[in-house]
Amino acid sequence: MVNAQFKPVAPDQRARDLAKEMAAIEKDVAGPERAGRLATLVRAAHHERQLNLAMHAATMCLEEDPDAPALLIEAYATDEDPEERLRTLGDLRDLARYVDRPDLVAFADRQLKAEAFDWVRAGEGHERRHRLRTVQSATSRVVADQIRDELMFLS
């Protein structure tokens, strides 16, 4: 007999758990507390690539957050690793596009470019080239080229 504690969680189970959590949150009273729970759910659903759930929860969160989009930004700003942070900011930018929030798209773009520039600038030689390739895959070739050109100008 397999001990349930050591049994791996199936991807379908994670999706079902997220859907159950969304159903429970939808029953709560609308307000800032629920918006905070929705923001956390948005990030978890996006991480699991449950994009429809993430978009629905994000829309609800933005409607209920008194300081919109502060709670969503906070939910996506949890990564410490610079590479993961760039990918997470890219996810936030994509989500903002999905839910038609140009202000959030602009914020994510600005933050993404600023953090990418600082991270690449901190590297030297080979490491800098690796970081530029990482920025290119997390954002676009245009952003990576702009950073490379700015760094060459500053040198």
Side-chain angles (χ1 to χ4, degrees):
M1 183 192 297
V2 175
N3 186 344
Q5 178 181 0
F6 300 110
K7 186 176 178 184
V9 176
D12 294 351
Q13 182 62 45
R14 286 190 210 112
R16 284 192 299 275
D17 290 345
L18 290 170
K20 284 179 190 176
E21 187 174 345
M22 180 64 175
I25 291 173
E26 284 178 325
K27 293 176 185 175
D28 288 347
V29 177
E33 233 177 79
R34 181 168 107 163
R37 290 183 60 205
L38 283 165
T40 303
L41 178 66
V42 169
R43 182 64 194 120
H46 203 161
H47 182 73
E48 293 295 329
R49 299 299 180 221
Q50 298 295 316
L51 299 181
N52 287 335
L53 178 61
M55 289 186 299
H56 179 63
T59 302
M60 289 175 62
C61 177
L62 290 167
E63 290 170 358
E64 296 178 20
D65 182 2
D67 299 321
L71 289 173
L72 271 180
I73 291 170
E74 186 179 315
Y76 276 78
T78 58
D79 292 309
E80 295 295 323
D81 178 50
E83 284 184 61
E84 248 341 278
R85 188 147 167 86
L86 293 178
R87 292 187 206 304
T88 301
L89 284 167
D91 285 349
L92 177 61
R93 182 190 59 217
D94 293 342
L95 179 72
R97 256 188 277 150
Y98 299 152
V99 297
D100 196 28
R101 285 296 298 253
D103 59 328
L104 190 53
V105 172
F107 169 82
D109 278 338
R110 279 191 314 273
Q111 194 69 22
L112 189 60
K113 288 175 186 173
E115 290 193 23
F117 180 80
D118 291 342
W119 182 58
V120 171
R121 184 179 58 193
E124 294 293 328
H126 179 69
E127 181 65 21
R128 186 176 277 185
R129 287 189 298 277
H130 166 72
R131 290 179 181 193
L132 278 169
R133 284 192 302 274
T134 302
V135 167
Q136 181 178 335
S137 73
T139 59
S140 69
R141 183 181 192 131
V142 173
V143 172
D145 289 348
Q146 286 174 346
I147 292 171
R148 185 197 63 230
D149 294 345
E150 285 181 45
L151 290 171
M152 288 176 71
F153 180 74
L154 293 175
S155 297

